[in-house]
Amino acid sequence: MLETSARLLRLLSLLQTRRDWSGAELAERLGITTRTVRRDVDRLRELGYPVHATPGAPGYRLGAGSDLPPLLLDDDEAVAVAVGLRTAAGGTVAGIEETSVRALAKLEQVLPARLRQRVHALQSMTVPMTGAAAPVDPGVLTVIATACRDHEGLRFDYRAHDGRESRRAAEPHRLVHSGRRWYLVGWDLGQGDWRTYRVDRLSLKTPNGPRFVPRDPPDDDLAAYTSRAISSAPYRFRARLIMHAPAEVVAGRMPPTMGTVEPVDARTCVLLCGANTLDEIVVWVALMDIGFEVREPPELAERVGVLADRLRAAFSRG
């Protein structure tokens, strides 16, 4: 059995991983009795953590209190952490966007209203110099992240890449950041299948949908799944090419939104990509300055030949 102090930290960590826990579930996870769980919850409350009893079956929920729980942070420090996480969630620091959203969701769950207002005021008065990617409100990201964690359905209006708008209902699974944009992977209730949604194209509706039982994800590697979905599936033409370079070299010369790379051996790999015109694919791959062979579609190989003849003719005239 864990010592009391270690057990309290473990209990607090469990309460932060999802919305509701029954006393029996916590007792099983911690290897203690439900009576000990009740005593430990009382200790957390004495320390300032707002652990609420849930209605119905006896259970517990970590909520927001009138004061920030003792995280060794004063009000100014808590605001600074929240603002920093919101900024990082927007992609300011590469590689920590998804971690920042998860941490922000935990922090805002217990952040007092007066501090939440300060964070929102500071964020609204700050004008970032963004790049080409469409910005996403960190508040939207935390709502989606919390729904993923708590297995709550989402309802939203969605604008597809061709401009068509529709009303969607989905069981959210995970948020994925491509380096430029945020995507939601979820089970579309209307389509009865897994879908990938660009977060900047959706408008959330309130309240959330009902709770659901999580489904098995469409792929163990959600990053690769999302890359395939956004790099080829939405486009008119999909291409498969053999690249005469190691997979890591090809991957290093393109963003994950442009295509996916599958290694063949130490010197070659397969590139899967898509575009709305064949010329886009030809020019983009040629600019990588790597030898390649077209495997499909057949009309792409024909288009490579046409453009090659045109370039040779231009060279001979020069």
Side-chain angles (χ1 to χ4, degrees), residues 188-242:
D188 191 296
L189 295 173
Q191 301 294 325
D193 198 2
W194 290 96
R195 289 291 187 270
T196 302
Y197 312 95
R198 262 180 54 176
V199 176
D200 61 287
R201 289 178 176 167
L202 63 81
S203 177
L204 291 175
K205 302 297 181 182
T206 56
N208 287 349
R211 301 285 289 275
F212 61 88
V213 177
R215 304 172 188 268
D216 291 333
D219 195 305
D220 291 336
D221 189 344
L222 282 179
Y225 170 83
T226 304
S227 180
R228 290 193 298 270
I230 64 181
S231 63
S232 60
Y235 298 104
R236 178 183 176 188
F237 296 102
R238 303 181 190 182
R240 182 174 182 270
L241 307 102
I242 299 296

Side-chain angles (χ1 to χ4, degrees), residues 252-305:
R253 299 191 185 185
M254 64 177 209
T257 55
M258 297 297 293
T260 57
V261 181
E262 300 174 356
V264 175
D265 52 40
R267 294 183 294 179
T268 59
C269 61
V270 173
L271 172 62
L272 304 173
C273 59
N276 290 323
T277 68
L278 293 173
D279 287 354
E280 288 182 53
I281 299 176
V282 175
V283 173
W284 174 66
V285 175
L287 289 175
M288 295 177 70
D289 196 24
I290 295 174
F292 66 93
E293 303 170 29
V294 176
R295 286 293 182 261
E296 56 185 58
E299 56 266 36
L300 178 60
E302 297 174 3
R303 194 59 190 164
V304 170

Side-chain angles (χ1 to χ4, degrees), residues 13-35:
S13 177
L14 288 174
L15 289 172
Q16 289 180 321
T17 58
R18 76 183 199 209
R19 185 178 183 183
D20 297 318
W21 286 89
S22 70
E25 289 176 319
L26 291 172
E28 181 180 1
R29 287 292 190 95
L30 296 170
I32 57 178
T33 65
T34 55
R35 182 178 179 182

